[in-house]
Amino acid sequence: MQAKDAIKILVVDDRPDNLMSIESILEKESYTIVKAHSGRAALKVLLHEYDFSLILMDVLMPDMNGFETAALIYQRDRLKNIPIIFITAHNEDEAIFKGYKVGAMDFIYKPINPELLRIKVGLFVELYRKTQSLLEQEQHLLNINGTLQREIEEREASERKVRELNQQLTQSNVYLKTINEELDRFAFVASHDLQEPLRKIRVFSDMILQKRADPEEVHRHIQKITNAAARMQQLVNDLLRFSRHSVQGGDFEQVDLNEVVRGAVSELEVQIQQANAVIKIDTLPTIQAIPTLMQQVFYNLVSNALKFRKKEVAPQVHIYAEKDGQKKFYHIHVRDNGIGIDHQYLTDIFVVFKRLHSYHEIEGSGIGLSICKKIMDQHQGHIRATSELNEGTTFIVGLPEMQEMRDLSAS
């Protein structure tokens, strides 16, 4: 996988001023920018250099346009995974359809919005890096499988090893499937959810520029633009937060869950006061855990209880523990009196970016519970929910006892 300081972007445009403008917009991001003044020049560059994370290409160019150039690029196996973003001044459906047909990942419209260009480039560079990581893992798994096949042919004694490694291969494929599903959701958010606030920004900006509104209307338009920008910023931040979470963490240590939960509740003090909420915390156990991650779990669960409360009803949250002696697990319950969840969605709520309500109704992007699940997987634990519509929800966090956690870590 490429380090950020080694990320290369190919920019293709027949106008030197456009190339200079794009390079200037992206210069703070530490990317290596390679410029080409035509489609043919871009193809010549790609004959010798394959390690581009992204291609930004103008559609309208003499001799060979952007769509024709992209079609030729994607004929080569070594280049077919490089995402292409077309830059165009035209927004007709036919042109957009043609661009997606030849393999475009997205469009940026002229005049270029610098902040939008930086956001999109950052998202697609991150997407390309994750794709490359998956391809490397896939190749690694294929190599392992090939080695196993040769060992099976060479000696019968390798059967036991083959069974063990095939089991690992199955587990890795499940992991890859999960990552692919997350990448699909990343792509959806990048191409769909981010478009919605952008459309609002463009529409209301055009209204202001056309000077058809009185001052009060202009103020309302500006407020809508601000709200849309905030929504887009939240989506981008959540994308980055989820993608980076897998590398975050710390050391396991003896943790008093009473202190962890009090810390999480303290962070939500303002929201609790605004909602006039009552938080009841019973005595909780001491476990082996990563304290910062466990605090994030309870922060997200209490925050959800405040967010999905009933109108005109003060939230009540009860946090208590039960011990499962047979399985050597503690079950920490976080019970609220909120709007509840339909039974059919109790599994879906832990899927990244899965929302049961429009963000117009309740703020958020559907990432908090998926992060909770990641953290519990890291702790060899689990999280689930029970609920009735209009009767509240109980989240149950399962954590091993300290001795059990030490045994799992040692194995």
Side-chain angles (χ1 to χ4, degrees):
M1 189 189 304
Q2 296 171 313
K4 182 168 181 179
D5 59 0
I7 288 172
K8 291 173 62 177
I9 298 174
L10 177 61
V11 183
V12 188
D13 198 303
D14 61 303
R15 292 184 53 178
D17 56 333
N18 288 342
L19 292 171
M20 185 178 298
S21 174
I22 292 173
E23 185 177 35
S24 174
I25 292 171
L26 300 177
E27 65 179 354
K28 293 183 179 179
E29 304 300 327
S30 299
Y31 301 134
T32 299
I33 305 296
V34 178
K35 294 176 284 188
H37 296 276
S38 68
R40 294 192 185 279
L43 294 174
K44 187 176 295 185
V45 169
L46 292 167
L47 280 174
H48 308 287
E49 299 181 52
Y50 313 100
D51 55 340
F52 290 100
S53 299
L54 180 66
I55 298 175
L56 297 172
M57 181 150 48
D58 189 31
V59 172
L60 190 60
M61 293 186 292
D63 193 19
M64 181 186 295
N65 65 38
F67 296 150
E68 294 168 338
T69 306
L72 291 173
I73 289 173
Y74 283 148
Q75 286 179 8
R76 301 185 62 190
D77 288 340
R78 299 186 69 171
L79 304 175
K80 64 183 180 182
N81 290 316
I82 303 176
I84 296 177
I85 298 178
F86 284 123
I87 301 174
T88 180
H90 302 287
N91 194 13
E92 293 84 6
D93 289 344
E94 182 177 352
I96 293 173
F97 175 77
K98 188 174 181 180
Y100 283 125
K101 190 174 181 181
V102 298
M105 293 294 291
D106 207 346
F107 283 82
I108 291 179
Y109 300 100
K110 297 178 180 179
I112 294 175
N113 181 313
E115 185 62 24
L116 175 59
L117 177 63
R118 282 191 288 269
I119 289 173
K120 287 199 173 187
V121 167
L123 287 172
F124 282 104
V125 163
E126 184 68 19
L127 181 63
Y128 177 79
R129 293 169 67 190
K130 289 181 178 294
T131 300
Q132 290 302 108
S133 176
L134 286 174
L135 291 174
E136 290 172 7
Q137 292 183 52
E138 181 183 20
Q139 186 59 49
H140 177 65
L141 293 173
L142 289 173
N143 293 339
I144 291 176
N145 190 57
T147 301
L148 291 176
Q149 292 301 325
R150 288 191 297 272
E151 288 182 354
I152 291 172
E153 294 172 359
E154 291 172 2
R155 61 184 186 275
E156 189 175 349
S158 64
E159 289 182 358
R160 180 180 61 84
K161 181 180 179 181
V162 170
R163 287 194 297 270
E164 293 174 355
L165 289 177
N166 274 337
Q167 183 179 4
Q168 294 177 13
L169 181 62
T170 300
Q171 293 172 348
S172 296
N173 283 336
V174 171
Y175 174 69
L176 283 174
K177 181 180 178 182
T178 301
I179 291 182
N180 276 325
E181 289 173 354
E182 289 181 0
L183 282 175
D184 287 342
R185 290 185 176 275
F186 267 71
F188 178 82
V189 171
S191 63
H192 180 272
D193 284 20
L194 286 175
Q195 294 291 340
E196 191 269 343
L198 283 174
R199 281 193 293 269
K200 286 185 177 179
I201 291 171
R202 290 188 62 190
V203 167
F204 291 109
S205 296
D206 288 343
M207 289 182 179
I208 293 172
L209 291 173
Q210 291 170 7
K211 300 179 180 179
R212 296 180 179 176
D214 58 39
E216 290 187 5
E217 286 180 318
V218 168
H219 179 75
R220 286 196 295 271
H221 294 341
I222 292 174
Q223 186 60 52
K224 290 180 184 295
I225 291 171
T226 302
N227 293 341
R231 166 66 178 164
M232 187 166 63
Q233 183 180 35
Q234 180 189 19
L235 286 168
V236 172
N237 288 341
D238 285 347
L239 280 167
L240 295 175
R241 187 156 60 99
F242 186 82
S243 66
R244 291 171 179 166
H245 195 275
S246 59
V247 298
Q248 294 177 344
D251 295 328
F252 281 84
E253 59 184 75
Q254 186 171 314
V255 174
D256 183 349
L257 285 182
N258 296 284
E259 295 181 5
V260 166
V261 173
R262 283 196 294 267
V265 170
S266 177
E267 288 186 45
L268 291 163
E269 182 178 1
V270 174
Q271 295 92 315
I272 291 171
Q273 290 178 352
Q274 290 175 343
N276 197 27
V278 175
I279 312 294
K280 180 182 178 183
I281 306 171
D282 291 356
T283 301
L284 302 175
T286 297
I287 61 166
Q288 199 78 9
I290 303 173
T292 54
L293 297 187
M294 289 310 305
Q295 182 162 321
Q296 186 172 1
V297 169
F298 289 102
Y299 176 93
N300 288 343
L301 295 181
V302 175
S303 176
N304 263 22
L306 300 175
K307 190 184 300 181
F308 295 96
R309 64 183 183 269
K310 295 176 184 176
K311 293 181 179 179
E312 311 299 331
V313 177
Q316 294 183 6
V317 183
H318 185 194
I319 304 173
Y320 60 96
E322 293 180 349
K323 185 176 181 181
D324 185 339
Q326 184 176 2
K327 294 185 178 180
K328 297 183 178 179
F329 257 70
Y330 284 109
H331 290 149
I332 316 300
H333 297 247
V334 181
R335 186 175 69 194
D336 65 52
N337 63 338
I339 60 177
I341 304 167
D342 194 314
H343 284 276
Q344 62 180 316
Y345 301 120
L346 287 177
T347 302
D348 293 344
I349 59 176
F350 296 104
V351 177
V352 62
F353 297 114
K354 184 73 174 182
R355 292 178 51 86
L356 305 185
H357 304 270
S358 164
Y359 75 86
H360 295 290
E361 302 174 87
I362 299 176
E363 292 183 359
S365 60
I367 194 173
L369 291 179
S370 61
I371 288 179
C372 289
K373 185 178 184 306
K374 269 193 173 185
I375 294 173
M376 296 317 301
D377 289 344
Q378 190 172 349
H379 284 73
Q380 287 90 42
H382 59 263
I383 183 170
R384 60 186 177 88
T386 62
S387 186
E388 294 286 344
L389 281 176
N390 299 315
E391 297 296 331
T393 300
T394 299
F395 284 96
I396 303 165
V397 174
L399 288 162
E401 294 184 44
M402 285 198 294
Q403 183 60 46
E404 184 72 8
M405 173 62 80
R406 284 195 288 269
D407 293 342
L408 287 169
S409 299
S411 63

